[in-house]
Amino acid sequence: AAAAAAAAAGGLRPDAGVNAANALCSWAELVQGPQRAELLQQAVQLYRAALAQEEDAATLSNLGDALVSQGEAALQAGQPDAGQAAFASALDCYQASCSLSDSSAGDDLPGLLHNWGVGLHTISKQAQECPLKQSLLQQAADKLRSSIRFSRADPAPHNALGDVLIDAAELVVNYGSASSNAAAAGSSGAGSGSGFSGTSLLPAAAAEQAAGLLQQAVDEGYMAALTISRSNADALVGLAEASVAVARLATRQGDQAAAAAHINAAVGYYGRALQQPHLLGDASERADVRYNAACAAALAGQHATAQQLLTSLAAAGSISAADVATDADLAGFREQQWFMDLVRGLHAQCM
């Protein structure tokens, strides 16, 4: 708070203000609720104060990132108007950042475009209307492809593009499911759908479009990232997630052979990623990857692998009884003694 006040009074150098704002944003990632909102507000004030003294492309991009986080926090606090206002300001910052960028002066235009694409993707996750979500995802993909064109030596925009394209494919699946269900019920409209995990047959056009987007996620996204860094953990996890999505889509369309091939491929990608757990983020993120790997192994019939992963997660306190007892991917284990013992032990941990 003192730094923000000093910056507002013009008593803090722009670089010092930006460094303080960066630290506040990092701190905000570790907390929730009002404290997170207050830290982000201070960071935004510091970035704005620095920009008032000196225009800088990187600072504008950082301000955009902070505003996206501020928008998410506002929505979580039940303040939709404030959230949407923060998102709109964030997009203005990203645009201004890239407009101001000068590669000859050392500005990182590919990095700025990457941040813009990731910001658009984050905002798309909060959009409720299908056309708006679709537009934001398309804009995100465009920015990330531009980042890739400017720099072909960084796997990050490729991985981010893969993530965007998977979400775009899921949107197509949801819309196709809702349209099909509405037609069957004699009504109109599109709901949120159940994603790749749905069970109803999709219209052929929707299934083909979703499959095409998933293939782009693999080719332009994760595989391209692996050509730059062949052991990139994020790319391997992305390939696993894309393979699971393709397997679920094939199951819905009745192609069990393709589903089996893709779910087995997913287990292989997860296995490679888990060989380097230190690259998979923090403890919570590593646990998420292990849990998803366990679900994929269960669907692939690799029960020993699934059991080992779930047992280790339970021992670490990383899963709950509710997680495993209701997960449809683990339904085949519910009558097995080891699984019943695991669920019982997880219930005991909560007592």
Side-chain angles (χ1 to χ4, degrees):
L12 197 64
R13 294 197 324 268
D15 59 333
V18 169
N19 289 338
N22 292 343
L24 287 167
C25 288
S26 297
W27 186 1
E29 293 178 1
L30 305 176
V31 297
Q32 295 295 329
Q35 184 182 12
R36 174 179 170 81
E38 176 59 27
L39 291 169
L40 290 169
Q41 181 59 33
Q42 291 178 38
V44 167
Q45 291 174 355
L46 286 165
Y47 285 133
R48 291 194 188 282
L51 288 166
Q53 298 179 70
E54 178 182 85
E55 278 194 322
D56 180 74
T59 303
L60 278 164
S61 184
N62 288 347
L63 174 57
D65 293 344
L67 286 165
V68 169
S69 297
Q70 192 175 54
E72 290 181 298
L75 293 181
Q76 291 169 1
Q79 301 169 349
D81 291 343
Q84 295 306 321
F87 288 153
S89 295
L91 295 181
D92 289 341
C93 287
Y94 290 129
Q95 183 170 7
S97 172
C98 288
S99 298
L100 188 63
S101 175
D102 182 357
S103 297
S104 65
D107 290 334
D108 179 17
L109 180 57
L112 298 174
L113 287 164
H114 172 247
N115 285 357
W116 193 353
V118 171
L120 283 161
H121 187 203
T122 301
I123 294 171
S124 76
K125 294 177 182 294
Q126 308 299 331
Q128 299 300 311
E129 298 179 2
C130 179
L132 176 58
K133 186 183 288 285
Q134 185 177 40
S135 174
L136 289 166
L137 288 169
Q138 183 59 58
Q139 292 176 61
D142 290 344
K143 297 298 180 285
L144 291 166
R145 286 185 172 116
S146 294
S147 175
I148 290 166
R149 283 195 294 272
F150 278 105
S151 175
R152 301 181 182 276
D154 184 1
H158 289 283
N159 287 328
L161 178 59
D163 295 344
V164 167
L165 292 169
I166 286 180
D167 279 3
E170 187 166 26
L171 182 63
V172 169
V173 169
N174 284 337
Y175 189 80
S177 298
S179 299
S180 179
N181 292 340
S187 60
S188 60
S192 61
S194 54
F196 298 112
S197 297
T199 56
S200 61
L201 185 70
L202 285 174
E208 183 177 354
Q209 185 180 1
L213 287 165
L214 290 170
Q215 190 61 51
Q216 289 177 40
V218 169
D219 295 340
E220 294 184 57
Y222 310 121
M223 280 297 187
L226 286 181
T227 64
I228 297 169
S229 174
R230 63 180 181 179
S231 60
N232 187 275
D234 289 336
L236 290 168
V237 171
L239 283 169
E241 292 174 348
S243 296
V244 170
V246 175
R248 293 190 192 281
L249 187 60
T251 297
R252 289 185 70 158
Q253 301 308 103
D255 190 344
Q256 300 304 324
H262 285 290
I263 203 66
N264 276 294
V267 176
Y269 289 130
Y270 276 128
R272 288 173 60 188
L274 288 170
Q275 290 174 9
Q276 40 191 356
H278 60 290
L279 300 179
L280 296 174
D282 61 24
S284 176
E285 291 169 322
R286 292 194 296 273
D288 286 344
V289 174
R290 287 192 175 95
Y291 184 78
N292 290 338
C295 290
L299 293 173
Q302 299 183 32
H303 294 175
T305 298
Q307 180 178 353
Q308 185 272 325
L309 287 165
L310 290 171
T311 301
S312 65
L313 285 166
S318 300
I319 52 175
S320 69
D323 289 333
V324 298
T326 60
D327 195 321
D329 292 341
L330 305 178
F333 294 147
R334 288 177 187 159
E335 302 303 318
Q336 296 188 19
Q337 188 60 50
W338 72 265
F339 189 76
M340 290 187 286
D341 291 342
L342 182 141
V343 173
R344 191 177 302 113
L346 290 172
H347 276 301
Q349 289 179 10
C350 299
M351 297 177 63

